[in-house]
Amino acid sequence: MKQIVTWIVIAVVAGSLLLCASGLEFGAPAYQDMDDYMIAHGQEETGGNNIVTDVVFDYRGFDTLGEATVLFTAVLGIGLVLRTLAKEDEEYEYE
């Protein structure tokens, strides 16, 4: 009975999301103020001719660097935890 209720809830949630998504227009963002600003001022502020590259490397460069730092720190932390757990298991086997 619990599985049937779970599947019904999943179906209702998925159906609701699909219904909401079906009303959206593809390729028409809700807010275009930032897009218009980038197109109008991107070349003069960055000095580049490709606005996509300018946005990725000039406007979002620090953001991407911050994201990479967070990911690296998370991977490092998980590695340290797993290594500590592995050492505890090895010590337990020798005792």
Side-chain angles (χ1 to χ4, degrees):
M1 180 68 180
K2 189 176 180 181
Q3 288 183 343
I4 293 173
V5 172
T6 303
W7 283 109
I8 290 173
V9 169
I10 289 172
V12 168
V13 170
S16 300
L17 291 174
L18 286 174
L19 183 65
C20 291
S22 66
L24 298 175
E25 293 184 35
F26 182 73
Y31 303 104
Q32 294 183 345
D33 296 339
M34 186 60 71
D35 298 342
D36 294 337
Y37 178 81
M38 294 293 178
I39 292 170
H41 300 95
Q43 188 175 16
E44 65 187 52
E45 287 184 1
T46 62
N49 291 326
N50 187 344
I51 192 65
V52 175
T53 305
D54 296 340
V55 168
V56 170
F57 290 110
D58 289 339
Y59 290 117
R60 296 199 42 130
F62 287 114
D63 186 37
T64 304
L65 181 64
E67 292 168 354
T69 303
V70 168
L71 287 174
F72 177 74
T73 305
V75 168
L76 185 65
I78 290 171
L80 289 174
V81 168
L82 291 177
R83 187 173 178 176
T84 303
L85 291 175
K87 283 185 178 179
E88 289 176 359
D89 287 343
E90 289 176 4
E91 292 174 2
Y92 181 73
E93 290 176 4
Y94 291 125
E95 291 179 352

Coordinates of all heavy atoms in Angstrom, one line a residue:
M1 N 0.8 -1.2 0.0 CA 0.0 0.0 0.0 C 0.9 1.3 0.0 O 0.5 2.2 -0.7 CB -0.9 0.0 1.2 CG -1.8 1.1 1.3 SD -3.0 1.1 0.0 CE -4.0 2.5 0.3
K2 N 2.0 1.2 0.8 CA 2.9 2.4 0.9 C 3.5 2.7 -0.5 O 3.7 3.8 -0.8 CB 3.9 2.1 1.9 CG 4.8 3.3 2.3 CD 5.7 3.0 3.4 CE 6.6 4.2 3.7 NZ 7.5 3.8 4.8
Q3 N 3.8 1.6 -1.2 CA 4.5 1.9 -2.6 C 3.5 2.5 -3.5 O 3.8 3.3 -4.3 CB 5.0 0.5 -3.1 CG 6.2 0.0 -2.4 CD 6.7 -1.2 -3.1 OE1 6.0 -1.9 -3.8 NE2 8.0 -1.6 -2.8
I4 N 2.2 2.1 -3.4 CA 1.2 2.6 -4.3 C 1.0 4.1 -4.0 O 0.9 4.9 -5.0 CB -0.1 1.9 -4.2 CG1 0.0 0.4 -4.7 CG2 -1.2 2.6 -4.9 CD1 -1.1 -0.5 -4.4
V5 N 1.0 4.5 -2.8 CA 0.8 5.9 -2.4 C 2.0 6.7 -2.9 O 1.9 7.8 -3.4 CB 0.6 6.0 -0.9 CG1 0.7 7.5 -0.5 CG2 -0.7 5.4 -0.5
T6 N 3.2 6.1 -2.7 CA 4.5 6.8 -3.2 C 4.4 7.0 -4.7 O 4.7 8.1 -5.1 CB 5.7 5.9 -2.8 OG1 5.7 5.7 -1.4 CG2 7.0 6.6 -3.2
W7 N 4.0 6.0 -5.4 CA 4.0 6.2 -6.9 C 2.9 7.2 -7.3 O 3.1 7.9 -8.3 CB 3.7 4.8 -7.6 CG 5.0 4.0 -7.6 CD1 5.2 2.9 -6.9 CD2 6.1 4.3 -8.4 NE1 6.5 2.4 -7.2 CE2 7.1 3.3 -8.1 CE3 6.5 5.3 -9.3 CZ2 8.3 3.2 -8.7 CZ3 7.7 5.3 -9.9 CH2 8.6 4.2 -9.6
I8 N 1.8 7.2 -6.6 CA 0.7 8.2 -6.9 C 1.2 9.6 -6.6 O 1.0 10.5 -7.4 CB -0.6 7.9 -6.1 CG1 -1.2 6.6 -6.6 CG2 -1.5 9.1 -6.1 CD1 -2.4 6.1 -5.8
V9 N 2.0 9.8 -5.5 CA 2.5 11.1 -5.2 C 3.5 11.5 -6.2 O 3.5 12.7 -6.7 CB 3.1 11.1 -3.8 CG1 4.0 12.4 -3.5 CG2 2.1 11.0 -2.7
I10 N 4.4 10.6 -6.6 CA 5.4 10.9 -7.7 C 4.7 11.3 -9.0 O 5.1 12.3 -9.7 CB 6.3 9.7 -7.9 CG1 7.2 9.6 -6.6 CG2 7.2 9.9 -9.1 CD1 8.1 8.4 -6.6
A11 N 3.6 10.6 -9.3 CA 2.9 10.8 -10.6 C 2.2 12.2 -10.5 O 2.2 13.0 -11.5 CB 1.9 9.7 -10.8
V12 N 1.7 12.6 -9.4 CA 1.0 13.8 -9.2 C 2.0 15.0 -9.3 O 1.8 16.0 -10.0 CB 0.2 13.9 -7.9 CG1 -0.3 15.3 -7.6 CG2 -1.0 13.0 -8.0
V13 N 3.1 14.8 -8.6 CA 4.2 15.9 -8.7 C 4.7 16.0 -10.1 O 4.9 17.1 -10.6 CB 5.3 15.6 -7.6 CG1 6.5 16.5 -7.8 CG2 4.8 15.7 -6.2
A14 N 5.0 14.9 -10.7 CA 5.6 15.0 -12.1 C 4.6 15.6 -13.1 O 4.9 16.4 -13.9 CB 6.0 13.6 -12.6
G15 N 3.3 15.2 -12.9 CA 2.3 15.8 -13.7 C 2.1 17.3 -13.5 O 1.9 18.0 -14.5
S16 N 2.2 17.7 -12.3 CA 2.1 19.1 -12.0 C 3.2 19.9 -12.6 O 3.0 21.0 -13.1 CB 2.1 19.3 -10.5 OG 1.0 18.7 -9.9
L17 N 4.4 19.3 -12.5 CA 5.6 20.0 -13.1 C 5.5 20.1 -14.6 O 5.8 21.1 -15.2 CB 6.9 19.3 -12.7 CG 7.3 19.4 -11.2 CD1 8.5 18.6 -10.9 CD2 7.5 20.9 -10.8
L18 N 5.1 19.0 -15.2 CA 4.9 19.0 -16.7 C 3.8 20.0 -17.1 O 3.9 20.7 -18.1 CB 4.6 17.6 -17.2 CG 5.7 16.6 -17.2 CD1 5.2 15.2 -17.6 CD2 6.8 17.1 -18.2
L19 N 2.7 20.1 -16.3 CA 1.7 21.0 -16.6 C 2.2 22.5 -16.5 O 1.9 23.3 -17.4 CB 0.5 20.8 -15.7 CG -0.7 21.7 -15.9 CD1 -1.3 21.3 -17.3 CD2 -1.8 21.5 -14.8
C20 N 3.0 22.8 -15.5 CA 3.5 24.1 -15.3 C 4.5 24.4 -16.5 O 4.5 25.5 -17.0 CB 4.2 24.2 -14.0 SG 3.1 24.2 -12.6
A21 N 5.3 23.4 -16.8 CA 6.3 23.6 -17.9 C 5.7 23.7 -19.3 O 6.3 24.4 -20.1 CB 7.3 22.5 -17.9
S22 N 4.5 23.2 -19.5 CA 3.9 23.2 -20.8 C 3.4 24.6 -21.1 O 3.3 25.0 -22.3 CB 2.7 22.2 -20.9 OG 1.7 22.6 -20.0
G23 N 3.2 25.5 -20.1 CA 2.8 26.8 -20.4 C 3.9 27.8 -20.7 O 3.7 28.9 -21.1
L24 N 5.2 27.3 -20.5 CA 6.3 28.2 -20.8 C 6.7 28.2 -22.2 O 6.6 27.2 -22.9 CB 7.5 27.8 -19.9 CG 7.3 27.8 -18.4 CD1 8.6 27.2 -17.8 CD2 7.1 29.2 -18.0
E25 N 7.1 29.3 -22.7 CA 7.6 29.4 -24.1 C 9.1 29.1 -24.1 O 9.8 29.6 -23.3 CB 7.4 30.8 -24.7 CG 5.9 31.2 -24.8 CD 5.8 32.5 -25.5 OE1 6.6 32.9 -26.3 OE2 4.8 33.2 -25.1
F26 N 9.5 28.2 -25.0 CA 10.9 27.9 -25.2 C 11.7 29.0 -25.8 O 11.3 29.6 -26.8 CB 11.0 26.6 -26.0 CG 12.4 26.2 -26.1 CD1 13.1 25.5 -25.1 CD2 13.2 26.4 -27.3 CE1 14.4 25.1 -25.2 CE2 14.5 26.0 -27.4 CZ 15.1 25.3 -26.3
G27 N 12.8 29.4 -25.1 CA 13.7 30.4 -25.6 C 13.2 31.8 -25.3 O 13.7 32.8 -25.9
A28 N 12.2 32.0 -24.5 CA 11.8 33.3 -24.1 C 12.0 33.5 -22.6 O 11.1 33.1 -21.8 CB 10.3 33.5 -24.5
P29 N 13.1 34.0 -22.2 CA 13.3 34.2 -20.7 C 12.4 35.2 -20.1 O 12.0 36.2 -20.8 CB 14.8 34.7 -20.7 CG 15.1 35.2 -22.0 CD 14.2 34.5 -23.0
A30 N 12.1 35.0 -18.9 CA 11.1 35.9 -18.2 C 11.7 37.3 -18.0 O 11.0 38.3 -18.1 CB 10.7 35.3 -16.9
Y31 N 13.0 37.4 -17.7 CA 13.7 38.6 -17.5 C 14.8 38.9 -18.5 O 15.7 38.1 -18.6 CB 14.3 38.7 -16.1 CG 13.2 38.4 -15.0 CD1 13.2 37.2 -14.4 CD2 12.3 39.4 -14.7 CE1 12.2 37.0 -13.4 CE2 11.4 39.2 -13.7 CZ 11.3 38.0 -13.1 OH 10.4 37.7 -12.1
Q32 N 14.7 39.9 -19.2 CA 15.7 40.2 -20.3 C 16.5 41.4 -20.0 O 17.3 41.8 -20.9 CB 15.0 40.3 -21.6 CG 14.3 39.1 -22.1 CD 13.7 39.2 -23.5 OE1 13.5 40.3 -23.9 NE2 13.4 38.1 -24.1
D33 N 16.4 42.0 -18.9 CA 17.1 43.2 -18.6 C 18.6 43.0 -18.6 O 19.4 43.8 -19.2 CB 16.7 43.8 -17.2 CG 15.3 44.2 -17.2 OD1 14.7 44.5 -18.3 OD2 14.7 44.3 -16.1
M34 N 19.1 41.9 -18.0 CA 20.5 41.6 -18.0 C 21.0 41.3 -19.4 O 22.1 41.7 -19.8 CB 20.8 40.5 -17.0 CG 22.3 40.2 -16.8 SD 23.2 41.6 -16.2 CE 22.6 41.7 -14.5
D35 N 20.2 40.5 -20.1 CA 20.6 40.2 -21.5 C 20.8 41.5 -22.3 O 21.8 41.6 -23.1 CB 19.6 39.3 -22.2 CG 19.4 38.0 -21.5 OD1 20.3 37.6 -20.7 OD2 18.4 37.4 -21.7
D36 N 19.8 42.4 -22.2 CA 19.9 43.6 -23.0 C 21.2 44.5 -22.6 O 21.8 45.0 -23.4 CB 18.7 44.4 -22.8 CG 17.4 43.7 -23.4 OD1 17.6 42.9 -24.3 OD2 16.3 44.1 -23.0
Y37 N 21.5 44.5 -21.3 CA 22.6 45.2 -20.8 C 23.9 44.6 -21.4 O 24.8 45.3 -21.8 CB 22.7 45.2 -19.3 CG 23.9 45.9 -18.7 CD1 23.9 47.3 -18.7 CD2 25.0 45.2 -18.4 CE1 25.0 48.0 -18.2 CE2 26.1 45.9 -17.9 CZ 26.1 47.3 -17.8 OH 27.2 47.9 -17.4
M38 N 24.0 43.3 -21.3 CA 25.2 42.6 -21.8 C 25.4 42.9 -23.3 O 26.5 43.1 -23.8 CB 25.2 41.1 -21.6 CG 25.2 40.7 -20.1 SD 26.7 41.1 -19.4 CE 26.4 40.5 -17.7
I39 N 24.3 42.8 -24.0 CA 24.4 43.0 -25.5 C 24.8 44.5 -25.8 O 25.7 44.8 -26.7 CB 23.1 42.6 -26.2 CG1 22.9 41.1 -26.1 CG2 23.1 43.1 -27.6 CD1 21.6 40.7 -26.5
A40 N 24.3 45.4 -25.0 CA 24.5 46.8 -25.3 C 25.9 47.3 -24.8 O 26.5 48.1 -25.5 CB 23.4 47.7 -24.6
H41 N 26.4 46.8 -23.7 CA 27.6 47.3 -23.1 C 28.8 46.3 -23.0 O 29.9 46.6 -22.6 CB 27.3 47.8 -21.7 CG 26.3 48.9 -21.6 ND1 25.0 48.6 -21.4 CD2 26.4 50.2 -21.8 CE1 24.3 49.8 -21.4 NE2 25.2 50.7 -21.6
G42 N 28.5 45.1 -23.5 CA 29.5 44.0 -23.3 C 30.8 44.3 -24.1 O 31.9 44.1 -23.6
Q43 N 30.7 44.7 -25.3 CA 31.9 44.9 -26.1 C 32.7 46.1 -25.6 O 33.9 46.0 -25.5 CB 31.5 45.1 -27.6 CG 32.7 45.2 -28.5 CD 32.3 45.3 -29.9 OE1 31.2 45.6 -30.3 NE2 33.2 45.0 -30.8
E44 N 32.1 47.2 -25.2 CA 32.9 48.3 -24.8 C 33.5 48.1 -23.4 O 34.5 48.6 -23.0 CB 32.0 49.6 -24.8 CG 30.9 49.6 -23.8 CD 29.9 50.8 -24.0 OE1 29.5 51.0 -25.1 OE2 29.7 51.4 -23.0
E45 N 32.8 47.3 -22.5 CA 33.3 47.0 -21.2 C 34.4 46.0 -21.2 O 35.3 46.1 -20.3 CB 32.2 46.6 -20.2 CG 31.3 47.8 -19.9 CD 30.2 47.4 -18.9 OE1 30.2 46.2 -18.4 OE2 29.4 48.2 -18.5
T46 N 34.4 45.0 -22.0 CA 35.3 43.9 -22.0 C 36.4 44.1 -23.1 O 37.5 43.5 -23.0 CB 34.6 42.6 -22.1 OG1 34.0 42.5 -23.4 CG2 33.7 42.4 -21.0
G47 N 36.0 44.7 -24.2 CA 37.0 44.8 -25.3 C 37.0 43.6 -26.2 O 37.8 43.6 -27.1
G48 N 36.1 42.7 -26.0 CA 36.0 41.5 -26.8 C 34.9 41.6 -27.9 O 34.0 42.4 -27.7
N49 N 35.0 40.7 -28.9 CA 34.0 40.8 -29.9 C 33.0 39.6 -29.8 O 31.9 39.7 -30.4 CB 34.7 40.6 -31.3 CG 35.4 41.9 -31.7 OD1 35.0 43.0 -31.3 ND2 36.5 41.7 -32.4
N50 N 33.3 38.6 -29.0 CA 32.4 37.5 -28.8 C 31.7 37.7 -27.4 O 32.4 37.5 -26.4 CB 33.1 36.2 -28.8 CG 32.2 35.0 -28.8 OD1 31.0 35.1 -28.4 ND2 32.7 33.8 -29.2
I51 N 30.4 38.0 -27.4 CA 29.8 38.3 -26.1 C 29.7 37.1 -25.2 O 29.7 37.3 -24.0 CB 28.4 39.0 -26.4 CG1 27.8 39.6 -25.1 CG2 27.4 38.0 -26.9 CD1 28.6 40.7 -24.5
V52 N 29.6 35.9 -25.8 CA 29.5 34.7 -24.9 C 30.8 34.5 -24.2 O 30.8 34.3 -23.0 CB 29.1 33.5 -25.8 CG1 29.1 32.2 -25.0 CG2 27.7 33.7 -26.4
T53 N 31.9 34.6 -24.9 CA 33.2 34.4 -24.2 C 33.4 35.6 -23.2 O 34.0 35.3 -22.2 CB 34.3 34.5 -25.3 OG1 34.0 33.5 -26.3 CG2 35.6 34.2 -24.7
D54 N 33.0 36.8 -23.6 CA 33.2 37.9 -22.6 C 32.4 37.6 -21.3 O 32.9 37.9 -20.2 CB 32.7 39.2 -23.3 CG 33.5 39.5 -24.5 OD1 34.7 39.0 -24.6 OD2 33.0 40.3 -25.3
V55 N 31.2 37.1 -21.4 CA 30.4 36.9 -20.2 C 31.0 35.8 -19.4 O 31.2 35.9 -18.2 CB 29.0 36.5 -20.6 CG1 28.2 36.0 -19.4 CG2 28.2 37.7 -21.2
V56 N 31.5 34.7 -20.1 CA 32.0 33.6 -19.3 C 33.3 34.0 -18.6 O 33.6 33.7 -17.5 CB 32.2 32.4 -20.3 CG1 33.1 31.3 -19.6 CG2 30.9 31.8 -20.7
F57 N 34.2 34.6 -19.3 CA 35.6 34.9 -18.8 C 35.7 36.2 -18.1 O 36.5 36.3 -17.1 CB 36.6 34.8 -19.9 CG 36.8 33.4 -20.4 CD1 36.4 33.0 -21.6 CD2 37.4 32.4 -19.5 CE1 36.6 31.7 -22.0 CE2 37.6 31.1 -19.9 CZ 37.2 30.8 -21.2
D58 N 35.0 37.2 -18.4 CA 35.1 38.5 -17.8 C 34.1 38.7 -16.7 O 34.5 39.1 -15.6 CB 35.0 39.6 -18.8 CG 36.2 39.7 -19.7 OD1 37.2 39.2 -19.3 OD2 36.1 40.3 -20.8
Y59 N 32.8 38.6 -17.0 CA 31.8 38.8 -16.0 C 31.7 37.7 -15.0 O 31.5 37.9 -13.8 CB 30.4 39.1 -16.6 CG 30.3 40.3 -17.4 CD1 30.1 40.3 -18.8 CD2 30.5 41.6 -16.8 CE1 30.0 41.5 -19.5 CE2 30.4 42.7 -17.5 CZ 30.2 42.7 -18.8 OH 30.1 43.9 -19.5
R60 N 31.8 36.5 -15.4 CA 31.6 35.3 -14.5 C 32.9 34.6 -14.1 O 32.9 33.6 -13.5 CB 30.7 34.3 -15.2 CG 29.3 34.9 -15.5 CD 28.4 33.8 -15.7 NE 28.6 32.7 -14.8 CZ 27.7 32.1 -14.0 NH1 26.5 32.5 -14.1 NH2 28.0 31.1 -13.2
G61 N 34.0 35.2 -14.4 CA 35.3 34.6 -14.1 C 35.5 34.3 -12.6 O 35.8 33.2 -12.2
F62 N 35.2 35.3 -11.8 CA 35.4 35.1 -10.3 C 34.3 34.2 -9.8 O 34.6 33.4 -8.8 CB 35.3 36.5 -9.6 CG 36.5 37.3 -9.8 CD1 36.5 38.5 -10.5 CD2 37.7 36.9 -9.3 CE1 37.6 39.2 -10.7 CE2 38.9 37.7 -9.5 CZ 38.8 38.8 -10.2
D63 N 33.1 34.2 -10.3 CA 32.1 33.3 -9.9 C 32.5 31.9 -10.2 O 32.3 31.0 -9.3 CB 30.8 33.6 -10.6 CG 29.6 32.8 -10.2 OD1 29.6 32.6 -8.9 OD2 28.7 32.5 -11.0
T64 N 33.0 31.6 -11.4 CA 33.5 30.3 -11.7 C 34.6 29.8 -10.9 O 34.7 28.7 -10.4 CB 33.9 30.2 -13.2 OG1 32.7 30.7 -14.0 CG2 34.3 28.9 -13.7
L65 N 35.5 30.7 -10.6 CA 36.7 30.4 -9.7 C 36.2 30.1 -8.3 O 36.6 29.1 -7.7 CB 37.6 31.6 -9.6 CG 38.9 31.4 -8.8 CD1 39.7 30.3 -9.3 CD2 39.7 32.7 -8.7
G66 N 35.2 30.8 -7.8 CA 34.6 30.5 -6.5 C 33.9 29.1 -6.5 O 34.0 28.4 -5.5
E67 N 33.2 28.8 -7.5 CA 32.5 27.5 -7.6 C 33.5 26.4 -7.6 O 33.4 25.4 -7.0 CB 31.6 27.5 -8.9 CG 30.4 28.4 -8.8 CD 29.7 28.5 -10.1 OE1 30.3 28.0 -11.2 OE2 28.7 29.1 -10.2
A68 N 34.6 26.6 -8.4 CA 35.6 25.6 -8.5 C 36.3 25.4 -7.1 O 36.6 24.2 -6.7 CB 36.7 25.9 -9.5
T69 N 36.5 26.5 -6.4 CA 37.1 26.4 -5.0 C 36.2 25.6 -4.1 O 36.6 24.7 -3.3 CB 37.3 27.8 -4.5 OG1 38.2 28.5 -5.4 CG2 38.0 27.7 -3.1
V70 N 34.9 25.9 -4.1 CA 33.9 25.2 -3.3 C 33.9 23.7 -3.6 O 33.9 22.8 -2.7 CB 32.5 25.8 -3.4 CG1 31.5 24.9 -2.8 CG2 32.5 27.1 -2.8
L71 N 33.9 23.3 -4.9 CA 33.9 21.9 -5.3 C 35.2 21.2 -4.9 O 35.2 20.1 -4.4 CB 33.7 21.8 -6.8 CG 32.3 22.1 -7.3 CD1 32.3 22.1 -8.8 CD2 31.3 21.1 -6.8
F72 N 36.3 21.9 -5.0 CA 37.6 21.3 -4.6 C 37.6 21.1 -3.1 O 38.1 20.0 -2.7 CB 38.8 22.2 -5.1 CG 40.1 21.7 -4.6 CD1 40.7 20.7 -5.2 CD2 40.8 22.3 -3.6 CE1 41.9 20.2 -4.8 CE2 42.0 21.9 -3.1 CZ 42.6 20.8 -3.8
T73 N 37.1 22.0 -2.4 CA 37.1 21.9 -0.9 C 36.2 20.7 -0.5 O 36.5 20.0 0.4 CB 36.6 23.2 -0.3 OG1 37.4 24.3 -0.7 CG2 36.7 23.1 1.2
A74 N 35.1 20.6 -1.2 CA 34.1 19.5 -0.9 C 34.8 18.1 -1.2 O 34.7 17.2 -0.3 CB 32.8 19.7 -1.6
V75 N 35.4 18.0 -2.3 CA 36.1 16.8 -2.7 C 37.2 16.5 -1.7 O 37.4 15.3 -1.3 CB 36.6 16.8 -4.1 CG1 37.5 15.7 -4.4 CG2 35.5 16.9 -5.1
L76 N 38.0 17.5 -1.3 CA 39.1 17.3 -0.3 C 38.5 16.8 1.0 O 39.1 15.9 1.6 CB 39.8 18.6 -0.2 CG 41.1 18.5 0.7 CD1 42.1 17.6 0.1 CD2 41.6 19.9 0.9
G77 N 37.4 17.4 1.5 CA 36.8 17.0 2.7 C 36.3 15.6 2.7 O 36.5 14.8 3.7
I78 N 35.6 15.2 1.6 CA 35.1 13.9 1.5 C 36.3 12.9 1.5 O 36.2 11.8 2.1 CB 34.2 13.7 0.3 CG1 32.9 14.5 0.5 CG2 33.9 12.3 -0.1 CD1 32.1 14.6 -0.7
G79 N 37.3 13.2 0.8 CA 38.5 12.4 0.7 C 39.1 12.2 2.1 O 39.5 11.0 2.5
L80 N 39.2 13.2 2.9 CA 39.8 13.1 4.2 C 38.9 12.3 5.1 O 39.4 11.4 5.9 CB 40.0 14.5 4.8 CG 41.1 15.3 4.2 CD1 41.1 16.7 4.8 CD2 42.4 14.7 4.5
V81 N 37.6 12.4 5.0 CA 36.7 11.6 5.8 C 36.8 10.1 5.5 O 36.9 9.3 6.3 CB 35.2 12.1 5.7 CG1 34.2 11.2 6.3 CG2 35.1 13.5 6.4
L82 N 36.8 9.9 4.2 CA 36.9 8.5 3.7 C 38.2 7.8 4.1 O 38.3 6.7 4.5 CB 36.6 8.4 2.2 CG 35.2 8.7 1.8 CD1 35.1 8.6 0.2 CD2 34.2 7.7 2.4
R83 N 39.3 8.6 4.0 CA 40.6 8.1 4.4 C 40.6 7.8 5.9 O 41.2 6.8 6.3 CB 41.7 9.1 4.0 CG 43.0 8.6 4.2 CD 44.1 9.6 3.7 NE 45.4 9.1 4.0 CZ 46.5 9.6 3.5 NH1 46.4 10.7 2.8 NH2 47.6 9.1 3.8
T84 N 40.0 8.7 6.7 CA 40.0 8.5 8.2 C 39.2 7.2 8.5 O 39.6 6.4 9.3 CB 39.4 9.7 8.8 OG1 40.1 10.9 8.5 CG2 39.4 9.5 10.3
L85 N 38.1 7.0 7.8 CA 37.3 5.9 8.1 C 38.0 4.6 7.6 O 37.9 3.6 8.3 CB 35.9 6.0 7.3 CG 35.0 7.0 7.8 CD1 33.7 7.1 6.9 CD2 34.6 6.7 9.3
A86 N 38.7 4.7 6.5 CA 39.5 3.5 6.1 C 40.6 3.1 7.1 O 40.8 2.0 7.4 CB 40.1 3.8 4.7
K87 N 41.2 4.2 7.7 CA 42.3 3.9 8.7 C 41.7 3.3 9.9 O 42.3 2.4 10.5 CB 43.0 5.2 9.0 CG 44.0 5.6 8.0 CD 44.8 6.8 8.4 CE 45.9 7.2 7.4 NZ 46.6 8.3 7.8
E88 N 40.5 3.7 10.3 CA 39.9 3.2 11.5 C 39.5 1.7 11.3 O 39.6 0.9 12.2 CB 38.6 4.0 11.9 CG 38.9 5.4 12.4 CD 37.6 6.2 12.7 OE1 36.5 5.6 12.4 OE2 37.7 7.3 13.1
D89 N 39.1 1.4 10.1 CA 38.8 0.0 9.8 C 40.0 -0.9 9.8 O 40.0 -2.0 10.3 CB 38.1 -0.1 8.4 CG 36.7 0.4 8.4 OD1 36.1 0.5 9.5 OD2 36.2 0.7 7.3
E90 N 41.2 -0.4 9.3 CA 42.4 -1.1 9.3 C 42.9 -1.3 10.8 O 43.3 -2.4 11.1 CB 43.5 -0.4 8.5 CG 43.2 -0.4 7.0 CD 44.3 0.4 6.3 OE1 45.2 0.9 6.9 OE2 44.1 0.5 5.1
E91 N 42.8 -0.3 11.6 CA 43.2 -0.4 13.0 C 42.3 -1.4 13.7 O 42.7 -2.2 14.6 CB 43.1 0.9 13.7 CG 44.2 1.9 13.2 CD 44.1 3.3 13.7 OE1 43.1 3.5 14.6 OE2 44.9 4.2 13.3
Y92 N 41.0 -1.4 13.4 CA 40.1 -2.3 14.1 C 40.4 -3.8 13.7 O 40.3 -4.7 14.5 CB 38.7 -2.0 13.7 CG 37.6 -2.9 14.3 CD1 37.3 -2.7 15.6 CD2 37.0 -3.9 13.6 CE1 36.4 -3.5 16.3 CE2 36.0 -4.7 14.2 CZ 35.7 -4.5 15.5 OH 34.8 -5.3 16.1
E93 N 40.9 -4.0 12.5 CA 41.2 -5.4 12.1 C 42.4 -5.9 12.8 O 42.5 -7.1 13.0 CB 41.4 -5.5 10.6 CG 40.1 -5.2 9.8 CD 40.3 -5.2 8.3 OE1 41.5 -5.4 7.9 OE2 39.4 -5.0 7.5
Y94 N 43.4 -5.1 13.1 CA 44.6 -5.5 13.7 C 44.4 -5.8 15.2 O 45.2 -6.5 15.8 CB 45.7 -4.5 13.5 CG 46.2 -4.4 12.1 CD1 46.1 -3.2 11.4 CD2 46.6 -5.5 11.4 CE1 46.5 -3.1 10.1 CE2 47.0 -5.4 10.1 CZ 46.9 -4.2 9.4 OH 47.3 -4.1 8.1
E95 N 43.4 -5.2 15.8 CA 43.2 -5.4 17.3 C 42.7 -6.7 17.7 O 42.1 -7.5 17.1 CB 42.3 -4.3 17.8 CG 43.0 -2.9 17.8 CD 42.1 -1.8 18.3 OE1 40.9 -2.1 18.6 OE2 42.6 -0.7 18.5

